[in-house]
Amino acid sequence: MSDSNTTDFTNPSTFILLGIPGLERAHVWISIPFCTMYVIAILGNFTILFIVKREPSLHEPMHYFLCMLAVTDLVLCTSILPKMLAIFWFNSREIDFSACLTQLYFINCFAAMESGIFVAMAFDRYVAICHPLRHSTILTNCVVAKIGLVVVLRGCLLVLPYPLLASRWPYCKTNIIPHTYCKHISVVNLACADFRASSYYSLSVTFFVPSMDVFFISLSYIQILRAIFILPTKDARLKTFGTCGSHLCAILVFYIPDLFSSLMHRIGNTMPLYLLILIANVYLLVPPMLHPIIYGVRTKQIRDRLLALFTHKRT
């Protein structure tokens, strides 16, 4: 009997996503705020892309990086929301094994890319404030394209071992994942082999990527603050620092939920599973929703173009 059960679950063709165990009766109600956040994220990020593409005056490094951030946010939230809503609305819990590995790859890959984009944006702010006369010569379109390529390749290559290692393990425990999406650790925990290679590697990437990126962002802002404090008047200092406001808000929106989610999972034994799953989903949905709002409100060029667009339509 045990041999039969092992055979059934070794390399399963599908996994079963449970959604939020313990809150099955509230799935439809939970889907409402999640769906709302997704719609806002889609509309907001596409609006950013549309405005930057339409306005030649916005074709500069800061807004190119903002477009990269918008695309990353769109892919990140789209990687989980459609399947999550299918679970909540239609009880469609099955996900193909290869689709599950693809989902976990996209989630982790684009999260790493997003962190790298914030480093690129911090570098742009450093050059703009500390070397304003050389900004256009340092950050040319070619340099921006190379930075973007490095960010993409870093995310793709660092996360590639996730699905490659996960696909090698035999799965003979069960094919049921108590989550709304294929979270990497939730998948490899189902393996009946020694999956420490997957666990240690993912832990290293989870620690290495944000730590390195936060270090370089902090280094940039130390130089920015030094340059700002040299300015002669308080108004000049506030005005110059204000150009970094949207970037700092976006960084906090991205890294604080990430830190909170990581801390909650470290003490997960003392917390209900449904709360951990809700936190994991909020971490992936809130930043894509808030980033376009932050840049739309705090970035004067985008705010002015957006108001002009609606005013023109009304006229």
Side-chain angles (χ1 to χ4, degrees):
M1 179 68 72
S2 61
D3 291 341
S4 174
N5 288 337
T6 300
T7 304
D8 288 341
F9 288 117
T10 300
N11 300 322
S13 59
T14 60
F15 282 121
I16 306 296
L17 293 168
L18 292 184
I20 306 179
L23 296 179
E24 288 86 355
R25 293 184 179 181
H27 274 177
V28 173
W29 296 106
I30 295 172
S31 71
I32 295 174
F34 283 162
C35 186
T36 303
M37 286 190 284
Y38 182 54
V39 170
I40 294 172
I42 294 291
L43 293 176
N45 285 291
F46 270 117
T47 301
I48 294 290
L49 293 172
F50 174 75
I51 290 175
V52 174
K53 182 180 184 301
R54 190 178 179 210
E55 295 294 332
S57 62
L58 298 180
H59 294 177
E60 55 185 21
M62 183 181 78
H63 297 106
Y64 288 146
F65 291 134
L66 180 55
C67 287
M68 295 179 198
L69 181 65
V71 172
T72 304
D73 280 337
L74 286 170
V75 176
L76 198 57
C77 60
T78 303
S79 297
I80 65 166
L81 245 296
K83 183 59 184 177
M84 186 195 305
L85 294 178
I87 296 169
F88 290 167
W89 291 346
F90 311 113
N91 203 32
S92 176
R93 300 183 176 188
E94 288 192 357
I95 183 170
D96 187 75
F97 181 72
S98 59
C100 185
L101 296 184
T102 302
Q103 186 187 53
L104 73 84
Y105 175 73
F106 269 71
I107 291 169
N108 291 281
C109 175
F110 279 85
M113 286 185 200
E114 188 153 328
S115 185
I117 291 169
F118 283 123
V119 178
M121 296 173 88
F123 178 66
D124 170 74
R125 291 297 84 206
Y126 160 73
V127 176
I129 292 174
C130 298
H131 305 283
L133 300 179
R134 298 171 54 201
H135 184 263
S136 59
T137 57
I138 294 175
L139 282 173
T140 62
N141 288 343
C142 182
V143 171
V144 171
K146 288 179 180 178
I147 292 174
L149 182 61
V150 169
V151 168
V152 171
L153 288 177
R154 186 191 74 154
C156 292
L157 295 178
L158 279 177
V159 179
L160 188 58
Y162 281 37
L164 293 180
L165 288 172
S167 64
R168 293 168 57 90
W169 311 131
Y171 295 89
C172 56
K173 294 179 180 178
T174 180
N175 64 341
I176 297 175
I177 301 175
H179 216 292
T180 54
Y181 61 87
C182 291
K183 191 175 178 68
H184 177 256
I185 195 63
S186 300
V187 173
V188 297
N189 273 336
L190 303 181
C192 56
D194 184 358
F195 57 87
R196 282 181 295 179
S198 283
S199 181
Y200 290 158
Y201 182 78
S202 66
L203 186 63
S204 300
V205 171
T206 302
F207 174 78
F208 168 75
V209 171
S211 299
M212 183 180 69
D213 290 349
V214 169
F215 171 76
F216 285 118
I217 291 171
S218 302
L219 202 62
S220 296
Y221 272 94
I222 288 172
Q223 299 301 318
I224 288 170
L225 289 174
R226 288 179 61 185
I228 287 175
F229 285 133
I230 295 174
L231 295 175
T233 65
K234 182 179 179 181
D235 288 342
R237 289 194 290 268
L238 290 175
K239 185 177 180 180
T240 305
F241 189 72
T243 62
C244 302
S246 54
H247 181 236
L248 286 171
C249 290
I251 288 173
L252 294 175
V253 164
F254 179 75
Y255 284 111
I256 288 179
D258 184 20
L259 177 62
F260 186 69
S261 178
S262 299
L263 289 174
M264 292 301 99
H265 278 84
R266 295 296 176 272
I267 60 173
N269 292 334
T270 64
M271 297 184 65
L273 178 60
Y274 67 83
L275 187 56
L276 294 175
I277 295 173
L278 287 172
I279 291 170
N281 284 288
V282 167
Y283 157 61
L284 292 177
L285 289 174
V286 168
M289 177 189 70
L290 290 183
H291 286 158
I293 296 174
I294 290 169
Y295 281 97
V297 171
R298 295 192 61 88
T299 306
K300 185 178 185 300
Q301 299 98 315
I302 293 177
R303 185 174 66 247
D304 291 346
R305 299 306 183 279
L306 188 61
L307 291 173
L309 181 65
F310 283 108
T311 303
H312 176 71
K313 284 186 175 181
R314 287 172 186 167
T315 305

